[in-house]
Amino acid sequence: MQQRNFRHLLLGHESLLQMDKINDSSQVRDCLTHTDVAKENKADSNQQIQHTDAAEESKADCSQENMGGLNTKRRHSQSYKTEADDQKQKTGAEAQSSDPWGEGKLKKEPECHMQLDKLFPNQNHTVLIDTNEFMAGRIVPHKGQHVWNSHFVKLPHNYPLQNGIESRWAVTEKALKERKLTRGASAKDVEMAIKTYNHKHKTDWRFNTLYRFYESGSRSYFSSVISKIAQLALTLPSLVQTKIPMLRQNQSHAITMSQEQIACLLANAFFCTFPHRNTTQPGSEYSNFPTINFSSLLSNASPRTLQKLKAIFYYFNTVTEEATKPKGLVTFERICLSQSEFPNWSKQKENMTNLHVYLNGFIEKEGQGMLQVDFASNMIGGGVLNQGLVQEEIRFIQCPELIVARLFTEKLGDNECLKITGAQVYSNTTGYSDSFQCNSPHTDSTQRDEWKRRYCQIVAIDAIKFDDPRQQYSEKNIKRELLKAYVGFKGDPQIPTDYTPAIATGNWGCGAFKGDPMLKALIQMMAAAVAHRDLAYFTFGNKKQAEDLKRTYKLLKSHKVTVGKLYNLLLDYCKHHHHHHHHVKSVSDYISEKMGVHPSQL
């Protein structure tokens, strides 16, 4: 990979490193009331979730190392322009709707952005558009070759021909064109079309959600959107003209594609056209992958799936209208750390980085411009295409472009994450779980980088689910969670820390996964320190947790506690917890007493 000297890039640009002010802020609406703030025209619609329960599903984010042609090779520029330069999005004081406690300024993109190198494909990066055309300002598909094997996505229009049998894609085309889907389609027409090329599921796919959605709203709207989804699905052979690699375990690789290509792939997922993807039973070809066809979402009728389908229709209606069709790119990057890159936690000399604690606020709103943590499932997207509706699923429903990651992302290992750059918000929502509501379409005005990706970076990291909460107080499990957080937080060593945005996170792996919120906060603080990144931590209305976190952080800072020392204190705490589980101190009280400070003195 080409080396680049950044020293001259930093000289004379100090004024460009000024970060957003964070203290001028209007009052945030308390997340637990699920108040609707959907009218705000922000980069992310409001994701009203209690992140303590949101840990049910986890995503994997990725560091940018060893990814030639990605934004691992950036240089600062004073002069580059984006499409939103004349209507810059409010990312500083005006975007803050709570008054966080914190030390130091938190860096955000685009203010700390370093200009990207030219977009190009290489062995670590697959690009589905023609990069030469892209340099000329046009987004057109890259013309390559398709491959039908387990290393690449099996696209429906490439299904192998069988002697004397009409091709599967010909059957699909006929079904989507002739089942009245081009005009006046009903839910029954959609069902019959899908079952035409999914014979095995003629009896077990019921499409109850689709029928309820059709009967509960405007039938002309339903028919209009269905027609546009069908037409979009059929453009697959022209929009995707090269192979799409599977992002397999233990392999760092990235895929960049256009938002139009994503929309086309999702239209095919809606109509369940992807072959071999209707089962994930043990021993099946895709048992280690999430589902991608929408059969479960369309079938399992509930208030939750009805609201999800509403958001999906908003998405497809937006991407098929010429006036609102998005014209940018999105990158999906799987990051895998080798064992030689694992930190030796007991010997790390770093001190805690800057921390801001938000009692109120949202990762996707106040954390705009930061690396936003998705409390993911190891199967990316979790239950987004089923009943799940906590942090990960809500984010995927607000930003359906994230769903396409399920097409090619294998289950995440302990040393892996998935980072998605450039996803757009299409729906305003409130609530979570049973209180979730999709309220209206969202207009996303977030600026774009040189690769025409929205300044929105999401990292998916999956926490351990503990059947017994006591299991988390062991060296093995603490090391695992530290590694998972670190792989998600780690940046490119070639990028100076002044150009690395802070991390926006919260109670990762708590709630349903039974994680100790203070322990998880300390783990993320340690991983952030070793990654040399600041942290914005959201407690989502939990005042006691916010105060405990502030006190503990101030204690660690005042005593100059290193990551290594804190790691060893946590191991001591595990022994204490094991021997005194009936009268165990909290981890924060234990640390303060070990340092000779009684909690009442803080």
Side-chain angles (χ1 to χ4, degrees), residues 353-372:
T353 50
N354 292 327
L355 173 72
H356 285 215
V357 178
Y358 290 73
L359 172 61
N360 299 307
F362 308 97
I363 289 174
E364 67 280 3
K365 184 185 172 190
E366 278 69 25
Q368 188 180 324
M370 302 182 198
L371 177 62
Q372 300 173 0

Side-chain angles (χ1 to χ4, degrees), residues 60 62 67 70 124-126 128 244-245 247 252-259 261-262 265-266 329-335 380 396 399-409 417-423 451 453 458:
C62 19
M67 298 300 299
L70 284 178
N124 297 315
H125 187 192
T126 298
L128 299 188
I244 304 174
L247 297 182
S252 292
H253 196 83
I255 303 171
T256 295
M257 63 182 77
S258 72
Q259 291 177 284
Q261 288 172 325
I262 292 172
L265 291 167
L266 290 178
L329 309 183
V330 181
T331 298
F332 301 84
E333 184 182 2
R334 189 185 190 111
I335 305 296
I380 200 74
F396 274 50
C399 311
E401 288 161 347
L402 301 174
I403 296 174
V404 82
R406 295 169 65 88
L407 179 63
F408 44 72
T409 307
C417 68
L418 184 72
K419 182 186 291 180
I420 301 124
T421 304
W451 292 3
R453 303 178 304 182
I458 299 168

